[in-house]
Amino acid sequence: MSFETELKLSLSENSISQLKTHSFWKKFAVEGPKTFHLGNIYYDTADMALNQARVALRIREKNGEYFQTLKTKGESANGLTRRGEWEWRIPDNQLDFSGLTEVWPESLQGVAPDQLQPLFATDFDRTTWLVEYSGARVEAALDKGLVKSGEAHSPICELELELIEGDESVLQQIADELGQTIQLTPSDQSKAERGFELLYRSG
């Protein structure tokens, strides 16, 4: 298991071009920009047992490869989130039950993997930069796309700053520097939480 520490910031679609061409990247990005598409299917039981336990399970497709990710409940405040995460490659877009057995949270021991079913999807383009700033390394990811549940959908337009190494206070420093010219709003709601919200609303 690894621990994910990230700062999530929402922005308007009108600000995307300004963010992509911001002078910050010329100063501090050591890699990027790289743009690619991500398709994600989220799974839960019919009675939303994972969501109630604040656990998210997804299969992600990237460049024809598939990855299964389980994220455990964490803490989130002012857009800054810390949580546990397991991710591993799988051969196709079917759940790897054997892998899940090894990492299944104790709080969900009463839930059998075969109870899981696909509930909603997220579909977006991601542009990333690898940033070195004040002694820290950070991946900046700009996501633009949709959360989808049946015929219902809502837009994704957000910047995620994920700490790779260094002091987590750097995440807010980067946000403050970018925020001098672009309106960035901290968001504590994950894509999975937005998907469940859309699912409840559309159902």
Side-chain angles (χ1 to χ4, degrees), residues 56 58 161 165:
R58 73 172 185 229
L161 302 174
E165 61 180 2

Side-chain angles (χ1 to χ4, degrees), residues 1 36 45 56 80 91 109 115 136 153 177 189 193 198 201:
M1 182 181 71
F36 45 90
T45 61
L80 184 67
Q109 289 304 311
Q115 293 177 263
H153 59 82
E177 185 155 342
Q189 192 174 42
E193 289 169 333
L198 189 64
R201 204 163 62 225

Side-chain angles (χ1 to χ4, degrees), residues 1-4 58 69-72 83-87:
M1 182 181 71
S2 63
F3 285 93
E4 178 184 62
R58 73 172 185 229
T69 308
L70 183 75
K71 295 190 179 187
T72 61
R83 60 191 167 202
E85 178 184 74
W86 292 266
E87 182 170 88

Side-chain angles (χ1 to χ4, degrees), residues 1-165:
M1 182 181 71
S2 63
F3 285 93
E4 178 184 62
T5 301
E6 71 175 20
L7 180 63
K8 185 187 296 288
L9 305 155
S10 62
L11 67 156
S12 71
E13 292 187 24
N14 293 335
S15 299
I16 289 177
S17 177
Q18 185 181 3
L19 179 64
K20 285 185 173 181
T21 57
H22 201 287
S23 60
F24 178 87
W25 312 119
K26 293 180 181 178
K27 293 179 184 177
F28 301 107
V30 294
E31 287 183 14
K34 300 176 182 177
T35 299
F36 45 90
H37 184 78
L38 295 174
N40 308 274
I41 304 292
Y42 285 80
Y43 292 79
D44 206 330
T45 61
D47 60 357
M48 316 295 183
L50 274 66
N51 187 43
Q52 292 173 33
R54 295 180 61 197
V55 172
L57 172 65
R58 73 172 185 229
I59 291 179
R60 164 168 286 177
E61 186 274 327
K62 176 185 175 183
N63 296 332
E65 295 184 316
Y66 295 93
F67 302 86
Q68 186 163 294
T69 308
L70 183 75
K71 295 190 179 187
T72 61
K73 63 182 179 180
E75 54 183 29
S76 183
N78 297 318
L80 184 67
T81 301
R82 306 175 190 88
R83 60 191 167 202
E85 178 184 74
W86 292 266
E87 182 170 88
W88 63 101
R89 185 175 294 176
I90 54 177
D92 52 34
N93 63 349
Q94 303 300 310
L95 284 175
D96 171 22
F97 293 125
S98 61
L100 277 178
T101 301
E102 297 176 8
V103 300
W104 205 233
E106 197 168 317
S107 61
L108 292 170
Q109 289 304 311
V111 177
D114 60 8
Q115 293 177 263
L116 298 168
Q117 59 190 44
L119 292 184
F120 60 87
T122 61
D123 198 47
F124 54 90
D125 292 322
R126 169 168 284 182
T127 301
T128 64
W129 298 263
L130 179 62
V131 171
E132 293 185 351
Y133 187 95
S134 293
R137 289 170 65 86
V138 173
E139 182 187 70
L142 171 64
D143 294 339
K144 170 70 171 64
L146 295 172
V147 182
K148 300 184 290 188
S149 174
E151 297 299 317
H153 59 82
S154 65
I156 294 170
C157 192
E158 60 191 27
L159 177 68
E160 294 179 349
L161 302 174
E162 182 174 351
L163 186 68
I164 298 173
E165 61 180 2

